[in-house]
Amino acid sequence: MFNQALISVPAAPLSSGDSVAFALRQFEDLHGGLWPVVDEGVFKGLLPEEALLDAEESLLLQDLQADWLHLAALEDEYFMSAVRLLTEHRLDLVPVISNDGKYLGIITQADLLQKMATACGIHTPGGLVVLEVSPHDYSPGEISRLIETNNAQMTQLNTAFEQGSGLYQVIIRINKQEISDIVSTFQRYDYRVVYFADEEQYENELKRNYQHLLHFLEM
């Protein structure tokens, strides 16, 4: 899924020629603390609402350019680029632009979270296994082969490098509800299994984590 496919149809962006007073009124109707500034179709930056609070209402937004955030995702990038911007900079939304800087719209935090939930397989039946593996021993091919020896298939695989331990956490989604035999196989081949869950446990865990993430971002 590319960024252009997740674009919302929001209220009109602000312009650098708008006054602080006008922008403050616009923010009253918005659900977030940022909004794009666009001049003649070209994205100029993200305006934080907090930059307006101590400014003279007669000033123009162009007078506050030092406070604009120059952050945007390209339309033809995979949606994870927007997720990265959202999480690294604690954004409420991510502007989407063309390769020549034209403003195309925004992706909201809620839309990205929904897409992430889908990408994590929250609606896909099956089991979950989390392994801890050294980079030297990490082999997706072997992991897949061990799963297949138990008449199952790997439907999703994600890795996260843990800086403290220097190990990969390997998160595996499997198209089989009862996975105790697969867990035993991993343990027999000296894989460290740090977590596993059947379908019901996995769905409940994902839903709890998803709700916790929503709560954290709304704080």
Side-chain angles (χ1 to χ4, degrees):
M1 177 70 72
F2 295 97
N3 290 324
Q4 60 187 356
L6 294 177
I7 292 175
S8 300
V9 182
L14 295 165
S15 167
S16 62
D18 291 333
S19 68
V20 168
F22 175 81
L24 284 170
R25 290 195 298 272
Q26 295 298 101
F27 269 101
E28 291 177 359
D29 298 325
L30 302 175
H31 301 287
L34 296 164
W35 204 247
V37 179
V38 176
D39 288 338
E40 297 181 351
V42 177
F43 175 72
K44 296 297 184 180
L46 275 174
L47 173 69
E49 183 181 17
E50 61 186 19
L52 303 171
L53 301 180
D54 296 323
E56 293 290 336
E57 292 194 354
S58 59
L59 289 175
L60 301 181
L61 299 188
Q62 64 189 19
D63 300 319
L64 306 178
Q65 289 187 49
D67 296 307
W68 297 359
L69 304 177
H70 300 284
L71 301 170
L74 291 173
E75 62 173 325
D76 55 2
E77 289 180 324
Y78 195 59
F79 83 96
M80 292 300 293
S81 65
V83 173
R84 178 179 57 80
L85 288 175
L86 186 87
T87 55
E88 286 184 359
H89 300 280
R90 299 294 298 272
L91 304 178
D92 300 310
L93 54 87
V94 177
V96 180
I97 61 175
S98 64
N99 288 306
D100 57 358
K102 296 292 186 181
Y103 172 74
L104 302 176
I106 63 168
I107 305 175
T108 66
Q109 183 184 94
D111 288 340
L112 280 174
L113 285 173
Q114 180 61 46
K115 186 59 184 176
M116 280 294 295
T118 301
C120 289
I122 191 170
H123 305 299
T124 304
L128 173 77
V129 178
V130 181
L131 307 177
E132 203 168 60
V133 182
S134 72
H136 177 73
D137 295 328
Y138 174 56
S139 172
E142 181 179 66
I143 291 171
S144 179
R145 181 181 63 80
L146 293 177
I147 292 170
E148 289 171 0
T149 62
N150 291 279
N151 298 314
Q153 289 185 329
M154 179 171 63
T155 59
Q156 184 177 9
L157 183 145
N158 295 303
T159 61
F161 183 72
E162 299 291 327
Q163 293 286 349
S165 65
L167 301 174
Y168 282 132
Q169 278 206 347
V170 185
I171 304 98
I172 308 162
R173 193 79 167 103
I174 299 167
N175 69 340
K176 186 177 179 181
Q177 182 172 348
E178 172 52 52
I179 58 172
S180 58
D181 53 347
I182 296 172
V183 171
S184 296
T185 298
F186 280 131
Q187 292 172 333
R188 190 164 63 251
Y189 279 80
D190 295 325
Y191 280 92
R192 174 172 163 75
V193 179
V194 297
Y195 181 82
F196 68 93
D198 61 21
E199 181 176 346
E200 182 177 357
Q201 288 175 300
Y202 176 68
E203 289 180 352
N204 290 338
E205 180 91 2
L206 272 179
K207 289 174 182 175
R208 284 196 299 271
N209 290 340
Y210 182 59
Q211 292 300 322
H212 289 161
L213 178 59
L214 282 173
H215 176 72
F216 172 75
L217 291 171
E218 289 171 357
M219 291 177 61

